[in-house]
Amino acid sequence: VVCHSTHWLGMRSKAYTAMGENLHVATDIAALAHDVGHFGRNNAFCSSASHDLALIYNDRAILENMHSATCFQIMKTLGCDILAASSRENRRLYRDHIVSLILATDMATHFDFLGKFRVRVAGSEFNLQDNAEDRRIVTHCYLKAADLGHAALPFDMHERWAFRLLNEFYEQGDEERQLGIPVSPMCERSGNVADFRESQKGFLQFVIMPLFKELVTVSVPEVSETCLTRIECNAEEWIKGEPNEELVQIIKAPAKPVKNTVALPLSPKRRLKGKKVGARVDEDVPNEHGAAAGNSPPAER
């Protein structure tokens, strides 16, 4: 889903045609691998629980570092190195681009990224045709937008993704209570449906919308017409009418025992055993889009 959205947004970005095929492929790989090996917990949990990954990556972009490392560890296994025929220079280019893109999805740097993006795009030297760094920052922007892109889908699809994420957050909170560590923000089972719906509206308006507004400044008008319109509609939809019964059940459900993720193996081969490469290990990835990547907007998947 994120790869499809990345490709769709990328093809409508003014940076896309100037990038070249190698970076198009590298961007698709980064989008596919941006959450590979994810086990349903966030960076704050890993740090607070003294997870081995937090020790390995020194509490800096813990999961993003793990995702990018896992991507290349998988490609070292027999039959999985899709870059095997590339030259040494191209492999270095691929790796640099993929790692930088995956690290850019760390939400801890979200608002700092937005500030730097605004300043760079508004500057007189901003030039997507001639400046590789300008193209890179735009690519970061549309991968970040794709990572949050469920907000730009029709509400019924967006709502289903919100339910999946809510279950994930609550399970993290349940494990944090089991471990005796502070419960992370958004992971506490408050039981208050109205508060959750209001918080969803705020997240779309104050976190996701500003990102897409920056992206449309370097994209064709279709991105604004499709994405901004749907985000605005979805933000309002969260507080309209009667709440979804499934949402009520999730929010009012009591805490439950959950698996101990601190003890999960670090080896990508063991962690992903039996899973499709590129899928999150804690959820089934829906196959809803059907359309060929790049030919239809994310909202039509």
Side-chain angles (χ1 to χ4, degrees):
V1 173
V2 171
C3 184
H4 178 95
S5 297
T6 301
H7 200 77
W8 187 87
L9 290 168
M11 289 183 69
R12 287 150 182 82
S13 159
K14 297 172 184 177
Y16 193 80
T17 55
M19 284 172 58
E21 289 298 325
N22 282 338
L23 293 185
H24 293 168
V25 173
T27 301
D28 287 345
I29 294 172
L32 284 169
H34 85 285
D35 261 354
V36 65
H38 201 291
F39 52 93
R41 303 295 183 263
N42 63 21
N43 286 337
F45 171 88
C46 292
S47 289
S48 187
S50 296
H51 195 285
D52 282 350
L53 289 172
L55 303 181
I56 291 171
Y57 297 115
N58 299 312
D59 297 301
R60 303 290 191 274
I62 300 163
L63 293 175
E64 293 74 25
N65 272 300
M66 181 270 286
H67 300 319
S68 58
T70 301
C71 172
F72 285 93
Q73 287 170 331
I74 290 171
M75 282 198 285
K76 287 182 68 175
T77 60
L78 184 63
C80 293
D81 189 358
I82 60 176
L83 305 179
S86 299
S87 66
R88 182 181 296 273
E89 178 60 23
N90 277 341
R91 289 176 70 89
R92 184 203 60 75
L93 180 71
Y94 275 108
R95 177 166 169 76
D96 179 61
H97 191 72
I98 292 167
V99 171
S100 73
L101 279 173
I102 295 177
L103 293 182
T105 62
D106 182 5
M107 287 300 292
T109 64
H110 181 76
F111 292 106
D112 182 57
F113 171 83
L114 281 182
K116 291 178 179 177
F117 187 88
R118 288 190 190 104
V119 170
R120 184 61 197 172
V121 172
S124 59
E125 296 181 357
F126 184 71
N127 188 324
L128 290 175
Q129 290 300 315
D130 300 328
N131 191 315
E133 282 305 309
D134 288 343
R135 294 194 293 272
R136 181 187 291 241
I137 195 172
V138 170
T139 309
H140 287 184
C141 190
Y142 64 73
L143 176 57
K144 285 172 64 65
D147 194 21
L148 300 168
H150 60 85
L153 300 176
F155 186 77
D156 62 326
M157 297 175 69
H158 162 57
E159 187 180 46
R160 291 202 299 275
W161 280 106
F163 290 170
R164 294 183 181 103
L165 291 168
L166 182 60
N167 272 316
E168 182 178 293
F169 290 160
Y170 282 173
E171 287 188 3
Q172 174 174 316
D174 292 344
E175 183 174 6
E176 287 169 331
R177 274 186 291 272
Q178 287 176 190
L179 295 172
I181 60 179
V183 176
S184 298
M186 300 186 294
C187 298
E188 185 66 72
R189 293 180 183 271
S190 69
N192 191 315
V193 177
D195 281 356
F196 173 78
R197 297 172 78 192
E198 192 66 42
S199 72
Q200 284 298 107
K201 177 183 178 181
F203 185 73
L204 266 63
Q205 289 180 327
F206 301 115
V207 178
I208 297 180
M209 182 65 83
L211 176 64
F212 274 85
K213 283 184 175 179
E214 295 306 320
L215 181 60
V216 301
T217 65
V218 291
S219 304
V220 299
E222 185 182 2
V223 174
S224 176
E225 295 161 2
T226 301
C227 299
L228 292 186
T229 302
R230 286 221 168 91
I231 295 169
E232 290 171 352
C233 291
N234 288 342
E236 291 304 318
E237 189 66 30
W238 273 111
I239 58 173
K240 287 182 179 178
E242 292 298 315
N244 183 298
E245 184 57 37
E246 183 181 354
L247 173 67
V248 175
Q249 292 176 3
I250 294 172
I251 291 177
K252 293 189 175 294
K256 58 184 180 182
V258 294
K259 64 185 177 184
N260 182 339
T261 62
V262 178
L264 283 175
L266 295 182
S267 164
K269 289 183 182 179
R270 295 177 61 195
R271 195 166 60 243
L272 298 175
K273 186 178 181 181
K275 303 292 180 180
K276 291 182 179 180
V277 173
R280 294 175 68 117
V281 299
D282 60 324
E283 67 186 20
D284 294 326
V285 177
N287 185 18
E288 297 168 340
H289 45 274
N295 294 330
S296 62
E300 294 178 7
R301 291 200 300 272

